[in-house]
Amino acid sequence: MVGEVGLHQSSETFKMTRYCAFFASINVGGNRLTMADLRYAFEREEFENVETVVASGNVLFDFDERPTDGLEDLFAHMMLDRFDMNTFAAVRNAGEVRSAVEDNPFTGIGQDHYVHTLFLERDADQSAFDKLVADHAGRGPEKIAMGPRCLYIDCVDGAGHSKLTNAFIERRLGCRGTARNVRSLARIAAKMA
């Protein structure tokens, strides 16, 4: 007797991963872009559950689990193609955003709006980090620590008064970055939960 084999489709759906893309240089200098246009660009690329937080280029979205460096490359191309902006986006998942607040050694010590996590496009080389610290010595009261694909910075007197600028850091580390204060990061992490 030949039995029938039934084909059953699984009703189980796979949960997508929640990410945040932190864009550098959005709505500063000449790089003006509405968050509605940025959301639309993400939706056109078929990202789901797209939401922007603050007008400085923080985009929450859902997508399949994947290495974030591929997404970072995709966003760089998207921004150049759609908006003629040569920018960098650091992409982090919800756990990495939480860690950017919780693992920052200056969180809870410095003022939340002066304590930042600078997301980097890759891990900083220890010798380049040591050069950064040495070159900054005596330039200001800022404190710096290295983390996974990031730097933790306490600007002490505020980022606007700091001589520890992104350009200063990027020249020494040889990679790009974009910073957010821990107050903003905590807000973003709560939205990603």
Side-chain angles (χ1 to χ4, degrees):
M1 172 175 199
V2 177
E4 284 185 30
V5 176
L7 298 177
H8 300 285
Q9 290 186 353
S10 172
S11 61
E12 180 181 342
T13 57
F14 294 97
K15 185 175 186 222
M16 292 208 204
T17 300
R18 190 77 167 147
Y19 294 99
C20 186
F22 298 96
F23 283 90
S25 305
I26 298 290
N27 291 336
V28 293
N31 284 334
R32 297 286 174 208
L33 180 64
T34 69
M35 294 302 100
D37 287 342
L38 188 54
R39 279 191 306 275
Y40 180 70
F42 269 70
E43 290 164 354
R44 289 284 309 252
E45 296 290 336
E46 299 184 3
F47 292 99
E48 296 184 17
N49 200 15
V50 178
E51 177 184 1
T52 54
V53 182
V54 190
S56 58
N58 307 307
V59 184
L60 303 176
F61 63 96
D62 293 345
F63 199 66
D64 295 328
E65 179 75 32
R66 67 182 320 176
T68 54
D69 56 352
L71 290 171
E72 291 168 355
D73 291 341
L74 173 76
F75 296 144
H77 292 296
M78 178 185 80
M79 296 300 284
L80 192 57
D81 182 54
R82 292 186 185 271
F83 305 111
D84 198 30
M85 287 185 183
N86 186 6
T87 188
F88 159 72
V91 179
R92 302 296 188 265
N93 64 34
E96 291 169 319
V97 173
R98 263 191 326 278
S99 292
V101 176
E102 295 169 0
D103 296 346
N104 188 320
F106 310 117
T107 299
I109 297 170
Q111 297 181 48
D112 284 352
H113 57 288
Y114 292 165
V115 174
H116 290 75
T117 296
L118 176 71
F119 296 107
L120 300 171
E121 60 187 334
R122 64 178 182 278
D123 282 314
D125 177 72
Q126 184 65 51
S127 62
F129 176 74
D130 293 342
K131 178 169 176 41
L132 168 67
V133 171
D135 288 355
H136 181 65
R139 290 177 50 96
E142 297 82 8
K143 301 172 195 157
I144 316 164
M146 193 164 53
R149 291 192 308 151
C150 69
L151 293 183
Y152 304 117
I153 303 168
D154 183 352
C155 292
V156 182
D157 294 328
H161 302 291
S162 177
K163 292 182 181 176
L164 188 62
T165 64
N166 269 18
F168 183 87
I169 293 168
E170 289 174 1
R171 275 194 303 275
R172 279 135 186 99
L173 297 184
C175 67
R176 296 176 295 177
T178 185
R180 300 299 187 272
N181 68 42
V182 295
R183 180 185 292 169
S184 297
L185 290 172
R187 180 178 168 195
I188 291 167
K191 286 183 163 285
M192 294 177 80

